[in-house]
PDB file of all heavy atoms in Angstrom:
ATOM      1  N   PRO X 314      -8.579 -25.458 -13.445  1.00 86.00           N
ATOM      2  CA  PRO X 314      -7.227 -26.003 -13.301  1.00 86.00           C
ATOM      3  C   PRO X 314      -6.353 -25.349 -12.236  1.00 86.00           C
ATOM      4  O   PRO X 314      -5.434 -25.971 -11.743  1.00 86.00           O
ATOM      5  CB  PRO X 314      -6.616 -25.820 -14.687  1.00 86.00           C
ATOM      6  CG  PRO X 314      -7.736 -25.673 -15.603  1.00 86.00           C
ATOM      7  CD  PRO X 314      -8.872 -25.046 -14.799  1.00 86.00           C
ATOM      8  N   PHE X 315      -6.638 -24.095 -11.881  1.00 83.00           N
ATOM      9  CA  PHE X 315      -5.821 -23.414 -10.880  1.00 83.00           C
ATOM     10  C   PHE X 315      -6.364 -23.576  -9.462  1.00 83.00           C
ATOM     11  O   PHE X 315      -5.788 -23.105  -8.502  1.00 83.00           O
ATOM     12  CB  PHE X 315      -5.682 -21.919 -11.211  1.00 83.00           C
ATOM     13  CG  PHE X 315      -4.847 -21.702 -12.442  1.00 83.00           C
ATOM     14  CD1 PHE X 315      -5.450 -21.433 -13.683  1.00 83.00           C
ATOM     15  CD2 PHE X 315      -3.457 -21.782 -12.407  1.00 83.00           C
ATOM     16  CE1 PHE X 315      -4.681 -21.234 -14.811  1.00 83.00           C
ATOM     17  CE2 PHE X 315      -2.681 -21.605 -13.536  1.00 83.00           C
ATOM     18  CZ  PHE X 315      -3.292 -21.337 -14.744  1.00 83.00           C
ATOM     19  N   ASP X 316      -7.519 -24.241  -9.347  1.00 81.00           N
ATOM     20  CA  ASP X 316      -8.121 -24.491  -8.063  1.00 81.00           C
ATOM     21  C   ASP X 316      -8.225 -26.016  -7.901  1.00 81.00           C
ATOM     22  O   ASP X 316      -9.291 -26.557  -7.647  1.00 81.00           O
ATOM     23  CB  ASP X 316      -9.488 -23.827  -7.978  1.00 81.00           C
ATOM     24  CG  ASP X 316     -10.160 -23.998  -6.622  1.00 81.00           C
ATOM     25  OD1 ASP X 316      -9.415 -24.181  -5.630  1.00 81.00           O
ATOM     26  OD2 ASP X 316     -11.415 -23.987  -6.565  1.00 81.00           O
ATOM     27  N   HIS X 317      -7.097 -26.679  -8.069  1.00 79.00           N
ATOM     28  CA  HIS X 317      -7.116 -28.149  -8.135  1.00 79.00           C
ATOM     29  C   HIS X 317      -5.846 -28.710  -7.518  1.00 79.00           C
ATOM     30  O   HIS X 317      -4.803 -28.058  -7.504  1.00 79.00           O
ATOM     31  CB  HIS X 317      -7.235 -28.592  -9.597  1.00 79.00           C
ATOM     32  CG  HIS X 317      -7.939 -29.877  -9.754  1.00 79.00           C
ATOM     33  ND1 HIS X 317      -7.315 -31.105  -9.582  1.00 79.00           N
ATOM     34  CD2 HIS X 317      -9.229 -30.155 -10.039  1.00 79.00           C
ATOM     35  CE1 HIS X 317      -8.199 -32.052  -9.788  1.00 79.00           C
ATOM     36  NE2 HIS X 317      -9.372 -31.522 -10.059  1.00 79.00           N
ATOM     37  N   ASP X 318      -5.949 -29.938  -7.039  1.00 84.00           N
ATOM     38  CA  ASP X 318      -4.789 -30.642  -6.475  1.00 84.00           C
ATOM     39  C   ASP X 318      -3.775 -31.026  -7.541  1.00 84.00           C
ATOM     40  O   ASP X 318      -2.568 -31.021  -7.307  1.00 84.00           O
ATOM     41  CB  ASP X 318      -5.220 -31.910  -5.725  1.00 84.00           C
ATOM     42  CG  ASP X 318      -6.211 -31.611  -4.601  1.00 84.00           C
ATOM     43  OD1 ASP X 318      -6.164 -30.481  -4.075  1.00 84.00           O
ATOM     44  OD2 ASP X 318      -7.034 -32.490  -4.289  1.00 84.00           O
ATOM     45  N   ILE X 319      -4.282 -31.374  -8.723  1.00 88.00           N
ATOM     46  CA  ILE X 319      -3.402 -31.761  -9.829  1.00 88.00           C
ATOM     47  C   ILE X 319      -3.050 -30.510 -10.617  1.00 88.00           C
ATOM     48  O   ILE X 319      -3.939 -29.735 -11.007  1.00 88.00           O
ATOM     49  CB  ILE X 319      -4.139 -32.773 -10.748  1.00 88.00           C
ATOM     50  CG1 ILE X 319      -4.523 -33.994  -9.956  1.00 88.00           C
ATOM     51  CG2 ILE X 319      -3.263 -33.137 -11.951  1.00 88.00           C
ATOM     52  CD1 ILE X 319      -5.509 -34.929 -10.671  1.00 88.00           C
ATOM     53  N   PRO X 320      -1.772 -30.220 -10.846  1.00 90.00           N
ATOM     54  CA  PRO X 320      -1.360 -28.998 -11.559  1.00 90.00           C
ATOM     55  C   PRO X 320      -1.943 -28.961 -12.961  1.00 90.00           C
ATOM     56  O   PRO X 320      -2.234 -29.992 -13.559  1.00 90.00           O
ATOM     57  CB  PRO X 320       0.158 -29.103 -11.611  1.00 90.00           C
ATOM     58  CG  PRO X 320       0.540 -30.124 -10.604  1.00 90.00           C
ATOM     59  CD  PRO X 320      -0.632 -31.044 -10.443  1.00 90.00           C
ATOM     60  N   PRO X 321      -2.113 -27.748 -13.514  1.00 91.00           N
ATOM     61  CA  PRO X 321      -2.630 -27.607 -14.869  1.00 91.00           C
ATOM     62  C   PRO X 321      -1.703 -28.268 -15.887  1.00 91.00           C
ATOM     63  O   PRO X 321      -0.488 -28.287 -15.726  1.00 91.00           O
ATOM     64  CB  PRO X 321      -2.676 -26.104 -15.097  1.00 91.00           C
ATOM     65  CG  PRO X 321      -2.627 -25.496 -13.749  1.00 91.00           C
ATOM     66  CD  PRO X 321      -1.872 -26.470 -12.886  1.00 91.00           C
ATOM     67  N   THR X 322      -2.312 -28.795 -16.955  1.00 92.00           N
ATOM     68  CA  THR X 322      -1.529 -29.396 -18.029  1.00 92.00           C
ATOM     69  C   THR X 322      -0.943 -28.282 -18.898  1.00 92.00           C
ATOM     70  O   THR X 322      -1.366 -27.120 -18.817  1.00 92.00           O
ATOM     71  CB  THR X 322      -2.429 -30.287 -18.915  1.00 92.00           C
ATOM     72  OG1 THR X 322      -3.418 -29.435 -19.560  1.00 92.00           O
ATOM     73  CG2 THR X 322      -3.114 -31.367 -18.090  1.00 92.00           C
ATOM     74  N   GLU X 323      -0.035 -28.639 -19.793  1.00 94.00           N
ATOM     75  CA  GLU X 323       0.549 -27.645 -20.695  1.00 94.00           C
ATOM     76  C   GLU X 323      -0.540 -27.030 -21.591  1.00 94.00           C
ATOM     77  O   GLU X 323      -0.519 -25.846 -21.872  1.00 94.00           O
ATOM     78  CB  GLU X 323       1.650 -28.252 -21.564  1.00 94.00           C
ATOM     79  CG  GLU X 323       2.942 -28.481 -20.810  1.00 94.00           C
ATOM     80  CD  GLU X 323       3.479 -27.216 -20.139  1.00 94.00           C
ATOM     81  OE1 GLU X 323       3.509 -26.147 -20.788  1.00 94.00           O
ATOM     82  OE2 GLU X 323       3.874 -27.284 -18.956  1.00 94.00           O
ATOM     83  N   ARG X 324      -1.499 -27.865 -22.025  1.00 93.00           N
ATOM     84  CA  ARG X 324      -2.596 -27.353 -22.848  1.00 93.00           C
ATOM     85  C   ARG X 324      -3.449 -26.361 -22.047  1.00 93.00           C
ATOM     86  O   ARG X 324      -3.822 -25.299 -22.560  1.00 93.00           O
ATOM     87  CB  ARG X 324      -3.465 -28.517 -23.332  1.00 93.00           C
ATOM     88  CG  ARG X 324      -4.520 -28.111 -24.317  1.00 93.00           C
ATOM     89  CD  ARG X 324      -5.242 -29.370 -24.880  1.00 93.00           C
ATOM     90  NE  ARG X 324      -6.601 -29.032 -25.216  1.00 93.00           N
ATOM     91  CZ  ARG X 324      -7.635 -29.057 -24.388  1.00 93.00           C
ATOM     92  NH1 ARG X 324      -7.484 -29.415 -23.118  1.00 93.00           N
ATOM     93  NH2 ARG X 324      -8.828 -28.716 -24.792  1.00 93.00           N
ATOM     94  N   GLU X 325      -3.751 -26.659 -20.786  1.00 92.00           N
ATOM     95  CA  GLU X 325      -4.545 -25.760 -19.940  1.00 92.00           C
ATOM     96  C   GLU X 325      -3.753 -24.465 -19.694  1.00 92.00           C
ATOM     97  O   GLU X 325      -4.358 -23.379 -19.686  1.00 92.00           O
ATOM     98  CB  GLU X 325      -4.878 -26.459 -18.613  1.00 92.00           C
ATOM     99  CG  GLU X 325      -5.899 -27.564 -18.745  1.00 92.00           C
ATOM    100  CD  GLU X 325      -6.052 -28.381 -17.472  1.00 92.00           C
ATOM    101  OE1 GLU X 325      -5.058 -28.545 -16.712  1.00 92.00           O
ATOM    102  OE2 GLU X 325      -7.161 -28.891 -17.234  1.00 92.00           O
ATOM    103  N   LEU X 326      -2.470 -24.565 -19.473  1.00 94.00           N
ATOM    104  CA  LEU X 326      -1.665 -23.376 -19.247  1.00 94.00           C
ATOM    105  C   LEU X 326      -1.619 -22.489 -20.490  1.00 94.00           C
ATOM    106  O   LEU X 326      -1.687 -21.249 -20.396  1.00 94.00           O
ATOM    107  CB  LEU X 326      -0.255 -23.783 -18.802  1.00 94.00           C
ATOM    108  CG  LEU X 326      -0.151 -24.404 -17.424  1.00 94.00           C
ATOM    109  CD1 LEU X 326       1.262 -24.908 -17.175  1.00 94.00           C
ATOM    110  CD2 LEU X 326      -0.588 -23.427 -16.337  1.00 94.00           C
ATOM    111  N   ALA X 327      -1.498 -23.108 -21.670  1.00 95.00           N
ATOM    112  CA  ALA X 327      -1.498 -22.337 -22.918  1.00 95.00           C
ATOM    113  C   ALA X 327      -2.843 -21.611 -23.085  1.00 95.00           C
ATOM    114  O   ALA X 327      -2.874 -20.444 -23.484  1.00 95.00           O
ATOM    115  CB  ALA X 327      -1.218 -23.250 -24.107  1.00 95.00           C
ATOM    116  N   GLU X 328      -3.914 -22.296 -22.781  1.00 95.00           N
ATOM    117  CA  GLU X 328      -5.254 -21.672 -22.869  1.00 95.00           C
ATOM    118  C   GLU X 328      -5.362 -20.531 -21.869  1.00 95.00           C
ATOM    119  O   GLU X 328      -5.897 -19.460 -22.166  1.00 95.00           O
ATOM    120  CB  GLU X 328      -6.337 -22.731 -22.639  1.00 95.00           C
ATOM    121  CG  GLU X 328      -7.737 -22.247 -22.952  1.00 95.00           C
ATOM    122  CD  GLU X 328      -7.980 -21.904 -24.419  1.00 95.00           C
ATOM    123  OE1 GLU X 328      -7.216 -22.346 -25.308  1.00 95.00           O
ATOM    124  OE2 GLU X 328      -8.953 -21.175 -24.687  1.00 95.00           O
ATOM    125  N   TRP X 329      -4.843 -20.726 -20.642  1.00 95.00           N
ATOM    126  CA  TRP X 329      -4.847 -19.674 -19.634  1.00 95.00           C
ATOM    127  C   TRP X 329      -4.101 -18.447 -20.110  1.00 95.00           C
ATOM    128  O   TRP X 329      -4.534 -17.326 -19.968  1.00 95.00           O
ATOM    129  CB  TRP X 329      -4.253 -20.169 -18.327  1.00 95.00           C
ATOM    130  CG  TRP X 329      -4.091 -19.045 -17.341  1.00 95.00           C
ATOM    131  CD1 TRP X 329      -2.928 -18.427 -16.993  1.00 95.00           C
ATOM    132  CD2 TRP X 329      -5.149 -18.361 -16.655  1.00 95.00           C
ATOM    133  NE1 TRP X 329      -3.186 -17.412 -16.108  1.00 95.00           N
ATOM    134  CE2 TRP X 329      -4.545 -17.337 -15.896  1.00 95.00           C
ATOM    135  CE3 TRP X 329      -6.527 -18.497 -16.611  1.00 95.00           C
ATOM    136  CZ2 TRP X 329      -5.282 -16.465 -15.082  1.00 95.00           C
ATOM    137  CZ3 TRP X 329      -7.266 -17.641 -15.804  1.00 95.00           C
ATOM    138  CH2 TRP X 329      -6.648 -16.652 -15.042  1.00 95.00           C
ATOM    139  N   ARG X 330      -2.932 -18.652 -20.714  1.00 96.00           N
ATOM    140  CA  ARG X 330      -2.125 -17.523 -21.200  1.00 96.00           C
ATOM    141  C   ARG X 330      -2.924 -16.740 -22.256  1.00 96.00           C
ATOM    142  O   ARG X 330      -2.852 -15.507 -22.279  1.00 96.00           O
ATOM    143  CB  ARG X 330      -0.793 -17.992 -21.782  1.00 96.00           C
ATOM    144  CG  ARG X 330       0.179 -18.452 -20.718  1.00 96.00           C
ATOM    145  CD  ARG X 330       1.592 -18.713 -21.285  1.00 96.00           C
ATOM    146  NE  ARG X 330       1.644 -19.700 -22.334  1.00 96.00           N
ATOM    147  CZ  ARG X 330       1.841 -21.008 -22.144  1.00 96.00           C
ATOM    148  NH1 ARG X 330       1.981 -21.468 -20.896  1.00 96.00           N
ATOM    149  NH2 ARG X 330       1.903 -21.834 -23.158  1.00 96.00           N
ATOM    150  N   THR X 331      -3.672 -17.438 -23.102  1.00 96.00           N
ATOM    151  CA  THR X 331      -4.485 -16.746 -24.097  1.00 96.00           C
ATOM    152  C   THR X 331      -5.543 -15.890 -23.418  1.00 96.00           C
ATOM    153  O   THR X 331      -5.710 -14.724 -23.759  1.00 96.00           O
ATOM    154  CB  THR X 331      -5.147 -17.785 -25.044  1.00 96.00           C
ATOM    155  OG1 THR X 331      -4.105 -18.529 -25.689  1.00 96.00           O
ATOM    156  CG2 THR X 331      -6.018 -17.097 -26.076  1.00 96.00           C
ATOM    157  N   TRP X 332      -6.298 -16.480 -22.492  1.00 96.00           N
ATOM    158  CA  TRP X 332      -7.350 -15.724 -21.800  1.00 96.00           C
ATOM    159  C   TRP X 332      -6.753 -14.591 -20.972  1.00 96.00           C
ATOM    160  O   TRP X 332      -7.260 -13.464 -20.988  1.00 96.00           O
ATOM    161  CB  TRP X 332      -8.147 -16.660 -20.890  1.00 96.00           C
ATOM    162  CG  TRP X 332      -9.147 -17.516 -21.601  1.00 96.00           C
ATOM    163  CD1 TRP X 332      -8.869 -18.576 -22.424  1.00 96.00           C
ATOM    164  CD2 TRP X 332     -10.563 -17.426 -21.530  1.00 96.00           C
ATOM    165  NE1 TRP X 332     -10.040 -19.132 -22.866  1.00 96.00           N
ATOM    166  CE2 TRP X 332     -11.096 -18.450 -22.317  1.00 96.00           C
ATOM    167  CE3 TRP X 332     -11.439 -16.588 -20.850  1.00 96.00           C
ATOM    168  CZ2 TRP X 332     -12.466 -18.646 -22.495  1.00 96.00           C
ATOM    169  CZ3 TRP X 332     -12.803 -16.778 -20.996  1.00 96.00           C
ATOM    170  CH2 TRP X 332     -13.294 -17.791 -21.806  1.00 96.00           C
ATOM    171  N   ALA X 333      -5.686 -14.895 -20.258  1.00 96.00           N
ATOM    172  CA  ALA X 333      -5.089 -13.879 -19.385  1.00 96.00           C
ATOM    173  C   ALA X 333      -4.514 -12.727 -20.198  1.00 96.00           C
ATOM    174  O   ALA X 333      -4.723 -11.559 -19.858  1.00 96.00           O
ATOM    175  CB  ALA X 333      -3.983 -14.492 -18.502  1.00 96.00           C
ATOM    176  N   GLY X 334      -3.806 -13.014 -21.263  1.00 95.00           N
ATOM    177  CA  GLY X 334      -3.187 -11.965 -22.085  1.00 95.00           C
ATOM    178  C   GLY X 334      -4.188 -11.157 -22.886  1.00 95.00           C
ATOM    179  O   GLY X 334      -3.972  -9.966 -23.130  1.00 95.00           O
ATOM    180  N   THR X 335      -5.302 -11.785 -23.260  1.00 96.00           N
ATOM    181  CA  THR X 335      -6.282 -11.117 -24.113  1.00 96.00           C
ATOM    182  C   THR X 335      -7.354 -10.376 -23.314  1.00 96.00           C
ATOM    183  O   THR X 335      -7.772  -9.278 -23.701  1.00 96.00           O
ATOM    184  CB  THR X 335      -6.973 -12.162 -25.015  1.00 96.00           C
ATOM    185  OG1 THR X 335      -5.976 -12.858 -25.735  1.00 96.00           O
ATOM    186  CG2 THR X 335      -7.915 -11.504 -25.982  1.00 96.00           C
ATOM    187  N   VAL X 336      -7.758 -10.971 -22.191  1.00 96.00           N
ATOM    188  CA  VAL X 336      -8.894 -10.405 -21.440  1.00 96.00           C
ATOM    189  C   VAL X 336      -8.509  -9.959 -20.029  1.00 96.00           C
ATOM    190  O   VAL X 336      -8.685  -8.778 -19.674  1.00 96.00           O
ATOM    191  CB  VAL X 336     -10.067 -11.419 -21.346  1.00 96.00           C
ATOM    192  CG1 VAL X 336     -11.230 -10.838 -20.540  1.00 96.00           C
ATOM    193  CG2 VAL X 336     -10.525 -11.805 -22.739  1.00 96.00           C
ATOM    194  N   PHE X 337      -8.022 -10.888 -19.222  1.00 96.00           N
ATOM    195  CA  PHE X 337      -7.842 -10.600 -17.801  1.00 96.00           C
ATOM    196  C   PHE X 337      -6.801  -9.501 -17.550  1.00 96.00           C
ATOM    197  O   PHE X 337      -7.068  -8.555 -16.788  1.00 96.00           O
ATOM    198  CB  PHE X 337      -7.494 -11.862 -17.015  1.00 96.00           C
ATOM    199  CG  PHE X 337      -8.516 -12.934 -17.157  1.00 96.00           C
ATOM    200  CD1 PHE X 337      -8.161 -14.214 -17.519  1.00 96.00           C
ATOM    201  CD2 PHE X 337      -9.858 -12.673 -16.942  1.00 96.00           C
ATOM    202  CE1 PHE X 337      -9.107 -15.222 -17.665  1.00 96.00           C
ATOM    203  CE2 PHE X 337     -10.823 -13.656 -17.087  1.00 96.00           C
ATOM    204  CZ  PHE X 337     -10.445 -14.941 -17.453  1.00 96.00           C
ATOM    205  N   LEU X 338      -5.637  -9.609 -18.147  1.00 97.00           N
ATOM    206  CA  LEU X 338      -4.604  -8.586 -17.912  1.00 97.00           C
ATOM    207  C   LEU X 338      -5.036  -7.212 -18.403  1.00 97.00           C
ATOM    208  O   LEU X 338      -4.920  -6.241 -17.638  1.00 97.00           O
ATOM    209  CB  LEU X 338      -3.270  -9.012 -18.509  1.00 97.00           C
ATOM    210  CG  LEU X 338      -2.074  -8.103 -18.169  1.00 97.00           C
ATOM    211  CD1 LEU X 338      -1.889  -7.950 -16.658  1.00 97.00           C
ATOM    212  CD2 LEU X 338      -0.808  -8.649 -18.801  1.00 97.00           C
ATOM    213  N   PRO X 339      -5.575  -7.064 -19.620  1.00 97.00           N
ATOM    214  CA  PRO X 339      -6.042  -5.731 -20.011  1.00 97.00           C
ATOM    215  C   PRO X 339      -7.136  -5.175 -19.096  1.00 97.00           C
ATOM    216  O   PRO X 339      -7.146  -3.982 -18.775  1.00 97.00           O
ATOM    217  CB  PRO X 339      -6.592  -5.945 -21.441  1.00 97.00           C
ATOM    218  CG  PRO X 339      -5.813  -7.122 -21.959  1.00 97.00           C
ATOM    219  CD  PRO X 339      -5.621  -8.008 -20.753  1.00 97.00           C
ATOM    220  N   ASN X 340      -8.034  -6.043 -18.624  1.00 97.00           N
ATOM    221  CA  ASN X 340      -9.099  -5.585 -17.705  1.00 97.00           C
ATOM    222  C   ASN X 340      -8.500  -5.082 -16.374  1.00 97.00           C
ATOM    223  O   ASN X 340      -8.880  -4.014 -15.884  1.00 97.00           O
ATOM    224  CB  ASN X 340     -10.107  -6.680 -17.422  1.00 97.00           C
ATOM    225  CG  ASN X 340     -11.172  -6.783 -18.476  1.00 97.00           C
ATOM    226  OD1 ASN X 340     -11.266  -5.963 -19.380  1.00 97.00           O
ATOM    227  ND2 ASN X 340     -11.998  -7.814 -18.389  1.00 97.00           N
ATOM    228  N   ILE X 341      -7.619  -5.867 -15.788  1.00 97.00           N
ATOM    229  CA  ILE X 341      -7.089  -5.442 -14.488  1.00 97.00           C
ATOM    230  C   ILE X 341      -6.153  -4.243 -14.649  1.00 97.00           C
ATOM    231  O   ILE X 341      -6.062  -3.415 -13.742  1.00 97.00           O
ATOM    232  CB  ILE X 341      -6.436  -6.595 -13.717  1.00 97.00           C
ATOM    233  CG1 ILE X 341      -5.242  -7.167 -14.433  1.00 97.00           C
ATOM    234  CG2 ILE X 341      -7.476  -7.657 -13.362  1.00 97.00           C
ATOM    235  CD1 ILE X 341      -4.462  -8.247 -13.641  1.00 97.00           C
ATOM    236  N   GLN X 342      -5.479  -4.117 -15.797  1.00 98.00           N
ATOM    237  CA  GLN X 342      -4.671  -2.918 -16.039  1.00 98.00           C
ATOM    238  C   GLN X 342      -5.563  -1.691 -16.152  1.00 98.00           C
ATOM    239  O   GLN X 342      -5.231  -0.620 -15.634  1.00 98.00           O
ATOM    240  CB  GLN X 342      -3.839  -3.093 -17.328  1.00 98.00           C
ATOM    241  CG  GLN X 342      -2.666  -4.016 -17.150  1.00 98.00           C
ATOM    242  CD  GLN X 342      -1.975  -4.355 -18.455  1.00 98.00           C
ATOM    243  OE1 GLN X 342      -2.611  -4.480 -19.516  1.00 98.00           O
ATOM    244  NE2 GLN X 342      -0.661  -4.524 -18.404  1.00 98.00           N
ATOM    245  N   ALA X 343      -6.720  -1.840 -16.806  1.00 98.00           N
ATOM    246  CA  ALA X 343      -7.666  -0.723 -16.906  1.00 98.00           C
ATOM    247  C   ALA X 343      -8.199  -0.351 -15.528  1.00 98.00           C
ATOM    248  O   ALA X 343      -8.320   0.832 -15.207  1.00 98.00           O
ATOM    249  CB  ALA X 343      -8.808  -1.090 -17.847  1.00 98.00           C
TER     250      ALA X 343
END
Side-chain angles (χ1 to χ4, degrees):
F315 291 101
D316 183 26
H317 210 278
D318 301 333
I319 302 167
T322 65
E323 285 305 315
R324 186 174 151 274
E325 289 170 329
L326 291 173
E328 190 65 18
W329 172 254
R330 287 190 301 270
T331 300
W332 283 70
T335 305
V336 179
F337 302 128
L338 187 56
N340 276 352
I341 63 175
Q342 286 171 325

